[in-house]
Amino acid sequence: REQVMTYKTILVEKKDQITTITLNRPQSKNAMNPQMHFDMRDALTEVEQDRECRVVVLTGAGDAFCAGMDVKEYFLETETDPAGRAAARKAAFEWMFRKLRLLPKPTIAAVNGWCFGGAFAWLAVCDFAIASETATFGLSEVNWGIIPAGGVTKLVSSLLSPRDAAYLIMTGKPIDGKQAAVMRLVNSAVPREKLDQQVLELAEELKKKNPMVLACAKEVLRVDQNLSLDDALLWETAKWTELDASAKKTWHKGVKQFKEERTYRP
């Protein structure tokens, strides 16, 4: 069964346990205006509470993924409205860095086209990213006389090698999907006509896994990055024990299938 929910700036499609959120301002290259931040915050709140949803895909309508913040509506029009800008910023940070980054479900960015500026922030916090080979990525802030802020510099420098991060941030020059894959900004790049199928195949693979195990693996992977090895050993042991109890020893089933029934070949 397919279900489509329409917000003012995004589309939310639910089908076969996969929820696809499409930024839907193609006339503005899906640039993020204040309303989009409010819509994304609300949509991701619903996704987190949706028991049917197993995987989340984020993409853009038309020929763009996301052109970053809407210069006119997010910056210029809020110059004289500090309360409005603060509300939009709060919603932006909430959906990107709390709702999306901490979502206990796997997330996939399907980069179909233009990806610039602030879009790098939530691209980076998605678990996976697959791009069209012809998609265009860029941090052009330096050309405007500003820097990539709002967490972008932090996330890009954490994700990429120092030299690649410096190239994007300090030259402002764009790269294509193939170069993004070489830099490991995305997992892979494919011809545009194969993008949807590649994303679907990954989503279907993730659907096969125990959702409690995926949620735990995602949390441990995130927290481990900021721990010493000694602390990570303690943290992983604690989470393993917690998962073993909460998932009711589901790993026993896999061991039985592998050792006794010979029906599972990892």
Side-chain angles (χ1 to χ4, degrees):
R1 188 182 70 174
E2 183 174 334
Q3 180 183 359
V4 179
M5 302 175 64
T6 305
Y7 292 78
K8 291 181 179 179
T9 65
I10 62 176
L11 299 174
V12 180
E13 177 188 6
K14 303 177 181 181
K15 184 178 180 182
D16 298 333
Q17 298 181 304
I18 300 171
T19 297
T20 301
I21 301 177
T22 304
L23 276 58
N24 192 33
R25 300 185 69 226
Q27 74 283 0
S28 301
K29 303 298 182 187
N30 301 318
M32 297 178 285
N33 64 353
Q35 185 61 50
M36 183 176 285
H37 294 310
F38 301 138
D39 287 348
M40 287 297 294
R41 177 195 61 195
D42 295 345
L44 286 169
T45 298
E46 289 194 26
V47 165
E48 184 174 4
Q49 298 170 353
D50 184 1
R51 292 177 177 269
E52 289 296 311
C53 174
R54 296 282 294 277
V55 182
V56 179
V57 175
L58 293 97
T59 192
D63 64 353
F65 179 67
C66 176
M69 294 295 189
D70 188 305
V71 174
K72 177 176 179 287
E73 294 189 33
Y74 185 85
F75 289 110
L76 292 179
E77 292 183 0
T78 61
E79 277 285 294
T80 57
D81 181 15
R85 177 178 289 188
R89 182 186 294 113
K90 181 179 179 181
F93 287 0
E94 184 176 356
W95 80 257
M96 292 181 195
F97 303 134
R98 296 203 61 81
K99 298 293 185 183
L100 182 60
R101 185 173 69 94
L102 304 181
L103 192 71
K105 304 178 186 193
T107 55
I108 307 170
V111 188
N112 54 302
W114 305 97
C115 178
F116 277 80
F120 274 63
W122 56 273
L123 169 70
V125 301
C126 284
D127 300 314
F128 306 94
I130 301 176
S132 163
E133 292 177 341
T134 55
T136 304
F137 298 79
L139 293 175
S140 56
E141 285 88 342
V142 68
N143 299 319
W144 295 74
I146 56 176
I147 62 171
V152 172
T153 293
K154 166 65 175 176
L155 290 164
V156 169
S157 61
S158 299
L159 196 61
L160 303 181
S161 74
R163 302 250 185 236
D164 287 334
Y167 179 84
L168 288 173
I169 291 169
M170 297 178 68
T171 70
K173 295 185 68 173
I175 60 172
D176 62 19
K178 291 182 179 179
Q179 290 172 294
V182 171
M183 286 185 179
R184 307 306 295 153
L185 180 62
V186 299
N187 291 92
S188 60
V190 297
R192 176 62 184 90
E193 64 273 15
K194 295 183 178 180
L195 178 62
D196 292 346
Q197 183 59 36
Q198 286 289 109
V199 171
L200 180 60
E201 288 178 5
L202 176 56
E204 291 292 340
E205 183 63 35
L206 292 165
K207 278 170 51 179
K208 297 176 185 177
K209 317 302 181 188
N210 183 312
M212 295 182 69
V213 175
L214 283 182
C216 187
K218 179 172 177 173
E219 182 184 6
V220 170
L221 181 61
R222 183 183 72 251
V223 175
D224 263 5
Q225 296 176 35
N226 298 313
L227 298 180
S228 67
L229 177 58
D230 288 338
D231 289 343
L233 290 172
L234 295 172
W235 164 247
E236 290 176 17
T237 299
K239 293 303 294 186
W240 198 101
T241 305
E242 176 189 330
L243 177 63
D244 195 32
S246 60
K248 298 180 174 58
K249 297 189 179 297
T250 54
W251 63 274
H252 284 190
K253 177 182 178 182
V255 171
K256 182 179 180 182
Q257 290 174 324
F258 176 64
K259 297 291 289 183
E260 298 177 15
E261 301 170 5
R262 303 293 182 181
T263 58
Y264 178 54
R265 292 288 182 272

